[in-house]
Amino acid sequence: MEGEWHHFHYTVAVAIFMGASFAIALIFRRQKMSKLPPGNLGWCPFLGRTLGFVNPHPSTSNGHFLDQNIIKYGKIFRSHLFGHRTIVSCDQEFNNFVLQNEDRFFVSSYPANIPGILGRLTLLVATGTVHKRLRAVALSLFAAIRNEQQTFLDDLQNCALLLVKSWKNTETIIFCNEARKYTFTVIVKEILSLKADDPETSMILENFLTFMKGLCSIPIKLPGTAYEMAIQSRRRIFEIVRTIVRRRKNTGDHGERKRKDFLDVMMEMEGISEDEILSLVMDLLLGGHETTAMLISILVKCLSESPPALHQLREEHRGVRKRKEKGEGLMWEDYKNMKFTQMLIKEGLRYGNVVKFVHRKALQTINFKGYEIPKGWKVLPILSGVHLDASQYHEPLQFNPWRWQGKDKRGELYGKYFMAFGGGLRLCPGSELAKLETAIFLHYFVLNFEWTPLNPKDVPMAFPFVDFKHGLQLSLKPLSHPTTTLSS
Ligand code: HEM
């Protein structure tokens, strides 16, 4: 009996011990897990939750995936995207922390097809000293513009006028394609001094379109795949630009250029290789073309839905014209005085979210707001998540250019909540060019045309790269008393 009693005690003690150990292990495990942001990695080892994340939705919203995850887990959560364990963040403070700590705690880390197609020298992919050096070159190109603002502005005006004049007898246009034509002519003019009707321009454009399709494809290196075709197109663009570089080198050719173009500036620099020059040309073509065309398209769409904004914009540009001789071009001061236009552009960037998110990777394990961000995990700062956050912006889902009234460009209130151009060491070097191009285009467009979208449901979509499904078809009506040089 006593033996049984002992045995009973012994069994109870073991059970208690095992139960306690299990509970302690669970607590430890919980503690360890609880350091990671909450979330769900999905069940599929490679896809994880990628399909949910990339599911198209209007770019003026966060989309179902982000909305649901924010409700369930908060603004910072873990997921499994693009084949990697990932921390997703719509949190303004964390996003700023990530962008400001580039190369220290985080580093740019784009999916394999980007470096695969663009090469290791592309700015988006380059890190550390290589990135610093190439970025310094890119920044100095834009600084060179500042010294010759007026000739630069004249170039842009010529491109804008060329385009709007081409619509003189046209009733409908696919606006996104037209906007792409504009931004492409601007960028090939600035980099290579090519004109819209130069054969090299159409050769580059043709290859560029194939190239763009491959950027979002699955990286399969087989003949005929979008990925492989993009690599070939990049090679062909490189060859076209290489021929121009060699021609300039051999002949000392400066053509009819009134001022040095980007290629001239790069070729005069010490210590930059031909391959680096070609890669930078590609970066600028890529960065400067699609994004700005989308910003302009988003604004044209928003203006058609906001008569008060369109009215105020027209009044501002009519005011500019009143101070000028008939047909006279815009001056730098005119641009600086376009206050409402600036507000409108900023709102278009916030509301339309041309770049939804950027790709990063944690270089070391980081603790932030009580969360552990493990070394090696991908981190996606969602820029639109901040722009559409009701705790940062009043009624964020409304297009309201007046929200920027009185907010100085560097104003603290919105400064760190505005992330359309990224931030930190990778802040977009083309941001000023993008805004200028947009303002100049709007000037000639709103003064010369009225327009109506033919399909009101054709809205900017995040695929997640932004595009309009039907290209934003517009019916155009010339204004009866055009106030610019269009009639000339
Ligand atoms: C509406 C227009 C534009 C938007 C919304 C935009 C947005 C951005 C963003 C968010 C980044 C940061 C990427 C990252 O952190 O990984 C970036 C980088 C960059 N952008 Fe833009 N951009 C625009 C126009 C332009 C233009 C006009 C150019 C050049 C002509 C340009 C060239 C670049 C380059 C070269 C980078 C890489 C910078 C680096 O890694 O150091 N972008 N842009």
Coordinates of all heavy atoms in Angstrom, one line a residue, residues 93-148:
E93 N 7.1 56.0 -38.2 CA 8.3 56.1 -37.4 C 9.3 55.0 -37.8 O 10.5 55.2 -38.0 CB 8.1 56.0 -35.9 CG 7.5 57.3 -35.3 CD 7.2 57.1 -33.9 OE1 8.1 56.6 -33.1 OE2 6.1 57.5 -33.5
F94 N 8.7 53.8 -38.0 CA 9.6 52.6 -38.4 C 10.1 52.8 -39.8 O 11.3 52.6 -40.1 CB 8.9 51.3 -38.2 CG 9.8 50.1 -38.5 CD1 11.0 49.9 -37.8 CD2 9.5 49.2 -39.5 CE1 11.8 48.9 -38.0 CE2 10.3 48.1 -39.7 CZ 11.5 48.0 -39.0
N95 N 9.2 53.3 -40.7 CA 9.7 53.5 -42.1 C 10.8 54.5 -42.1 O 11.8 54.3 -42.9 CB 8.5 54.0 -42.9 CG 7.5 52.8 -43.2 OD1 7.7 51.7 -42.7 ND2 6.5 53.1 -44.0
N96 N 10.6 55.6 -41.4 CA 11.7 56.6 -41.4 C 13.0 56.0 -40.8 O 14.1 56.2 -41.3 CB 11.3 57.8 -40.5 CG 10.7 58.9 -41.4 OD1 11.3 59.2 -42.4 ND2 9.5 59.3 -41.1
F97 N 12.8 55.2 -39.8 CA 14.0 54.6 -39.1 C 14.7 53.7 -40.1 O 16.0 53.7 -40.3 CB 13.5 53.8 -37.9 CG 14.6 53.0 -37.2 CD1 15.5 53.7 -36.4 CD2 14.8 51.7 -37.4 CE1 16.5 53.0 -35.7 CE2 15.8 51.0 -36.7 CZ 16.7 51.7 -35.9
V98 N 14.0 52.9 -40.9 CA 14.6 52.0 -41.9 C 15.3 52.9 -43.0 O 16.5 52.6 -43.3 CB 13.5 51.1 -42.5 CG1 14.1 50.3 -43.7 CG2 12.9 50.2 -41.5
L99 N 14.6 53.9 -43.5 CA 15.2 54.7 -44.6 C 16.4 55.4 -44.2 O 17.4 55.6 -44.9 CB 14.1 55.6 -45.2 CG 12.9 54.9 -45.9 CD1 11.9 55.9 -46.4 CD2 13.4 54.0 -47.1
Q100 N 16.3 55.9 -42.9 CA 17.5 56.8 -42.4 C 18.7 55.9 -42.0 O 19.7 56.4 -41.8 CB 17.0 57.6 -41.2 CG 16.0 58.7 -41.6 CD 16.3 59.6 -42.7 OE1 17.5 59.9 -42.9 NE2 15.4 60.1 -43.4
N101 N 18.5 54.6 -41.9 CA 19.6 53.7 -41.5 C 20.1 52.8 -42.5 O 20.5 51.7 -42.3 CB 19.2 53.0 -40.2 CG 19.3 53.9 -39.0 OD1 20.3 54.3 -38.6 ND2 18.1 54.2 -38.5
E102 N 20.0 53.3 -43.8 CA 20.5 52.5 -44.9 C 22.0 52.3 -44.7 O 22.7 53.2 -44.3 CB 20.2 53.4 -46.2 CG 20.7 52.8 -47.5 CD 19.9 51.6 -48.0 OE1 18.7 51.5 -47.6 OE2 20.4 50.9 -48.8
D103 N 22.4 51.1 -45.0 CA 23.8 50.7 -45.0 C 24.3 50.5 -43.5 O 25.5 50.1 -43.3 CB 24.8 51.8 -45.6 CG 25.0 51.5 -47.1 OD1 24.5 50.4 -47.5 OD2 25.6 52.3 -47.8
R104 N 23.5 50.9 -42.6 CA 23.9 50.7 -41.2 C 23.2 49.5 -40.6 O 23.8 48.5 -40.3 CB 23.5 52.0 -40.4 CG 24.3 52.1 -39.1 CD 24.2 53.6 -38.7 NE 24.3 53.6 -37.2 CZ 23.5 54.2 -36.4 NH1 22.5 54.9 -37.0 NH2 23.6 54.2 -35.1
F105 N 21.8 49.6 -40.5 CA 21.0 48.5 -40.1 C 20.3 47.8 -41.2 O 19.9 46.6 -41.1 CB 20.0 48.9 -39.0 CG 20.6 49.6 -37.8 CD1 20.0 50.7 -37.3 CD2 21.8 49.2 -37.3 CE1 20.5 51.4 -36.2 CE2 22.3 49.8 -36.2 CZ 21.7 50.9 -35.6
F106 N 20.1 48.5 -42.3 CA 19.3 48.0 -43.4 C 20.0 48.2 -44.7 O 20.8 49.2 -44.8 CB 17.9 48.6 -43.4 CG 17.1 48.5 -42.2 CD1 17.2 49.4 -41.2 CD2 16.4 47.3 -41.9 CE1 16.5 49.3 -40.0 CE2 15.7 47.2 -40.7 CZ 15.7 48.1 -39.8
V107 N 19.6 47.4 -45.7 CA 20.2 47.7 -47.0 C 19.2 47.3 -48.1 O 18.4 46.5 -47.9 CB 21.5 46.8 -47.1 CG1 21.2 45.4 -47.3 CG2 22.4 47.3 -48.2
S108 N 19.4 48.1 -49.2 CA 18.4 47.8 -50.3 C 18.5 46.4 -50.8 O 19.6 45.8 -50.9 CB 18.9 48.8 -51.5 OG 18.2 48.4 -52.6
S109 N 17.4 45.8 -51.1 CA 17.4 44.3 -51.4 C 16.2 44.0 -52.3 O 15.2 43.6 -51.9 CB 17.3 43.5 -50.1 OG 17.2 42.2 -50.4
Y110 N 16.4 44.3 -53.6 CA 15.3 44.1 -54.6 C 15.3 42.6 -55.1 O 16.3 41.9 -55.1 CB 15.5 45.1 -55.7 CG 15.0 46.5 -55.3 CD1 15.7 47.3 -54.6 CD2 13.6 46.8 -55.6 CE1 15.2 48.6 -54.2 CE2 13.1 48.0 -55.2 CZ 13.9 48.9 -54.5 OH 13.4 50.1 -54.1
P111 N 14.1 42.2 -55.5 CA 13.9 40.8 -55.9 C 14.9 40.5 -57.1 O 15.3 41.4 -57.8 CB 12.5 40.7 -56.4 CG 11.8 41.8 -55.7 CD 12.8 42.9 -55.5
A112 N 15.2 39.2 -57.3 CA 16.2 38.8 -58.2 C 16.1 39.3 -59.6 O 17.1 39.5 -60.3 CB 16.3 37.3 -58.2
N113 N 14.9 39.5 -60.1 CA 14.8 39.9 -61.5 C 15.3 41.4 -61.7 O 15.8 41.7 -62.8 CB 13.3 39.8 -62.0 CG 12.3 40.5 -61.1 OD1 12.6 40.8 -60.0 ND2 11.1 40.7 -61.6
I114 N 15.3 42.2 -60.7 CA 15.8 43.6 -60.8 C 17.3 43.6 -61.1 O 17.8 44.0 -62.1 CB 15.4 44.5 -59.6 CG1 13.9 44.5 -59.4 CG2 16.0 45.9 -59.8 CD1 13.1 45.4 -60.3
P115 N 18.2 43.0 -60.2 CA 19.6 43.0 -60.5 C 19.9 42.1 -61.7 O 20.8 42.4 -62.5 CB 20.2 42.4 -59.2 CG 19.1 41.8 -58.4 CD 17.9 42.5 -58.8
G116 N 19.0 41.0 -61.9 CA 19.2 40.1 -63.0 C 19.1 40.9 -64.4 O 19.9 40.7 -65.3
I117 N 18.2 41.8 -64.4 CA 18.0 42.6 -65.7 C 18.9 43.9 -65.7 O 19.5 44.2 -66.7 CB 16.5 42.9 -65.9 CG1 15.7 41.7 -66.0 CG2 16.3 43.9 -67.1 CD1 14.2 41.9 -66.0
L118 N 18.9 44.6 -64.6 CA 19.6 45.9 -64.6 C 21.1 45.8 -64.4 O 21.8 46.7 -64.7 CB 19.0 46.8 -63.5 CG 17.6 47.3 -63.8 CD1 17.0 47.9 -62.5 CD2 17.6 48.3 -64.9
G119 N 21.5 44.7 -63.8 CA 22.9 44.5 -63.6 C 23.3 45.0 -62.2 O 22.6 45.7 -61.6
R120 N 24.6 44.7 -61.8 CA 25.0 44.9 -60.4 C 25.3 46.4 -60.2 O 25.4 46.8 -59.1 CB 26.1 44.0 -60.0 CG 27.4 44.4 -60.7 CD 28.5 43.4 -60.6 NE 29.5 43.8 -61.7 CZ 30.3 44.8 -61.6 NH1 30.4 45.5 -60.5 NH2 31.1 45.1 -62.6
L121 N 25.4 47.2 -61.3 CA 25.8 48.6 -61.1 C 24.6 49.5 -61.0 O 24.8 50.7 -60.7 CB 26.7 49.0 -62.3 CG 28.1 48.5 -62.3 CD1 28.8 48.9 -63.6 CD2 28.9 48.9 -61.1
T122 N 23.4 49.0 -61.1 CA 22.3 49.9 -61.0 C 22.2 50.4 -59.6 O 22.4 49.8 -58.7 CB 21.0 49.2 -61.5 OG1 20.0 50.1 -61.5 CG2 20.6 48.0 -60.5
L123 N 21.8 51.7 -59.6 CA 21.7 52.4 -58.3 C 20.8 51.7 -57.3 O 21.1 51.6 -56.1 CB 21.2 53.8 -58.4 CG 22.2 54.9 -58.7 CD1 21.6 56.2 -58.9 CD2 23.2 55.0 -57.6
L124 N 19.7 51.1 -57.8 CA 18.7 50.5 -56.9 C 19.4 49.3 -56.2 O 19.0 49.0 -55.0 CB 17.5 50.0 -57.6 CG 16.4 51.0 -58.0 CD1 15.3 50.3 -58.7 CD2 15.9 51.7 -56.7
V125 N 20.3 48.7 -56.8 CA 20.9 47.4 -56.3 C 22.2 47.7 -55.6 O 22.6 47.0 -54.7 CB 21.1 46.4 -57.5 CG1 21.8 45.2 -57.1 CG2 19.7 46.0 -58.1
A126 N 23.0 48.6 -56.2 CA 24.4 48.8 -55.6 C 24.3 49.2 -54.2 O 23.3 49.9 -53.7 CB 25.0 50.0 -56.4
T127 N 25.2 48.8 -53.4 CA 25.3 49.2 -52.0 C 26.6 49.7 -51.6 O 27.6 49.6 -52.4 CB 24.9 47.9 -51.1 OG1 25.9 46.9 -51.4 CG2 23.6 47.4 -51.3
G128 N 26.7 50.2 -50.4 CA 28.0 50.6 -49.8 C 28.7 51.7 -50.7 O 28.1 52.6 -51.2
T129 N 30.0 51.5 -50.8 CA 30.8 52.6 -51.5 C 30.5 52.7 -53.0 O 30.5 53.8 -53.5 CB 32.3 52.3 -51.3 OG1 32.5 50.9 -51.6 CG2 32.8 52.6 -49.9
V130 N 30.1 51.6 -53.6 CA 29.8 51.6 -55.0 C 28.5 52.5 -55.2 O 28.5 53.4 -56.0 CB 29.5 50.2 -55.6 CG1 29.1 50.3 -57.1 CG2 30.7 49.4 -55.5
H131 N 27.5 52.3 -54.3 CA 26.3 53.1 -54.4 C 26.6 54.6 -54.1 O 26.2 55.4 -54.9 CB 25.3 52.6 -53.4 CG 24.1 53.4 -53.3 ND1 23.8 54.3 -52.2 CD2 23.1 53.7 -54.2 CE1 22.7 55.0 -52.4 NE2 22.2 54.6 -53.6
K132 N 27.4 54.8 -53.1 CA 27.7 56.2 -52.7 C 28.4 56.9 -53.9 O 28.0 58.1 -54.2 CB 28.7 56.2 -51.6 CG 28.1 56.8 -50.3 CD 29.1 56.9 -49.2 CE 28.3 56.5 -47.9 NZ 29.0 55.6 -47.1
R133 N 29.3 56.3 -54.6 CA 30.0 56.9 -55.7 C 29.1 57.2 -56.9 O 29.1 58.3 -57.4 CB 31.2 56.0 -56.1 CG 32.3 56.7 -56.8 CD 33.5 55.8 -56.8 NE 33.2 54.5 -57.4 CZ 33.1 54.3 -58.7 NH1 33.3 55.2 -59.6 NH2 32.9 53.1 -59.2
L134 N 28.3 56.2 -57.2 CA 27.4 56.4 -58.4 C 26.3 57.4 -58.1 O 25.9 58.1 -59.0 CB 26.8 55.0 -58.8 CG 27.8 54.0 -59.4 CD1 27.2 52.7 -59.7 CD2 28.5 54.6 -60.6
R135 N 25.8 57.3 -56.9 CA 24.8 58.3 -56.5 C 25.3 59.7 -56.5 O 24.6 60.6 -57.0 CB 24.3 57.9 -55.1 CG 23.2 58.8 -54.6 CD 22.7 58.4 -53.3 NE 21.8 59.5 -52.8 CZ 20.6 59.6 -53.1 NH1 20.0 58.8 -53.9 NH2 19.9 60.7 -52.6
A136 N 26.6 59.9 -56.1 CA 27.2 61.2 -56.2 C 27.2 61.7 -57.6 O 26.9 62.9 -57.9 CB 28.6 61.2 -55.6
V137 N 27.5 60.8 -58.6 CA 27.5 61.2 -60.0 C 26.1 61.6 -60.4 O 25.9 62.7 -61.0 CB 27.9 60.0 -60.9 CG1 27.8 60.4 -62.3 CG2 29.3 59.6 -60.5
A138 N 25.1 60.8 -60.0 CA 23.7 61.2 -60.3 C 23.3 62.5 -59.8 O 22.7 63.4 -60.5 CB 22.7 60.1 -59.8
L139 N 23.7 62.8 -58.5 CA 23.3 64.0 -57.9 C 24.0 65.2 -58.6 O 23.4 66.3 -58.8 CB 23.7 64.0 -56.4 CG 22.8 63.1 -55.5 CD1 23.4 63.1 -54.1 CD2 21.4 63.5 -55.5
S140 N 25.2 65.0 -59.0 CA 25.9 66.1 -59.7 C 25.3 66.4 -61.0 O 25.3 67.6 -61.5 CB 27.4 65.8 -59.8 OG 27.6 64.8 -60.7
L141 N 24.7 65.5 -61.6 CA 24.0 65.7 -62.9 C 22.8 66.7 -62.7 O 22.6 67.6 -63.4 CB 23.4 64.4 -63.5 CG 24.5 63.4 -63.9 CD1 23.8 62.1 -64.4 CD2 25.5 63.9 -64.9
F142 N 22.1 66.4 -61.6 CA 20.9 67.3 -61.3 C 21.4 68.6 -60.8 O 20.7 69.6 -61.1 CB 20.0 66.6 -60.3 CG 19.3 65.4 -61.0 CD1 19.7 64.1 -60.8 CD2 18.2 65.6 -61.8 CE1 19.1 63.1 -61.4 CE2 17.5 64.6 -62.4 CZ 18.0 63.3 -62.2
A143 N 22.5 68.7 -60.2 CA 23.1 70.0 -59.7 C 23.4 70.8 -60.9 O 23.2 72.0 -61.0 CB 24.3 69.7 -58.8
A144 N 23.9 70.1 -62.0 CA 24.3 70.8 -63.2 C 23.1 71.5 -63.8 O 23.2 72.6 -64.4 CB 24.9 69.9 -64.2
I145 N 21.9 70.9 -63.7 CA 20.7 71.5 -64.2 C 20.5 72.9 -63.5 O 20.1 73.9 -64.2 CB 19.5 70.7 -63.9 CG1 19.6 69.4 -64.7 CG2 18.2 71.4 -64.3 CD1 18.4 68.5 -64.5
R146 N 20.7 72.9 -62.2 CA 20.4 74.1 -61.4 C 21.2 75.3 -62.0 O 20.8 76.4 -61.9 CB 20.8 73.9 -60.0 CG 19.5 73.7 -59.1 CD 19.8 73.3 -57.7 NE 19.6 71.9 -57.6 CZ 20.3 71.0 -56.9 NH1 21.4 71.5 -56.3 NH2 20.0 69.8 -56.8
N147 N 22.4 75.1 -62.5 CA 23.2 76.2 -63.0 C 22.6 76.7 -64.4 O 23.0 77.8 -64.8 CB 24.6 75.7 -63.3 CG 25.2 75.2 -61.9 OD1 24.8 75.7 -60.9 ND2 26.2 74.3 -62.0
E148 N 21.8 75.9 -65.0 CA 21.3 76.4 -66.3 C 19.8 76.2 -66.4 O 19.2 75.5 -67.3 CB 22.0 75.6 -67.4 CG 23.5 75.7 -67.4 CD 24.1 75.3 -68.6 OE1 23.8 75.7 -69.7 OE2 25.0 74.4 -68.5

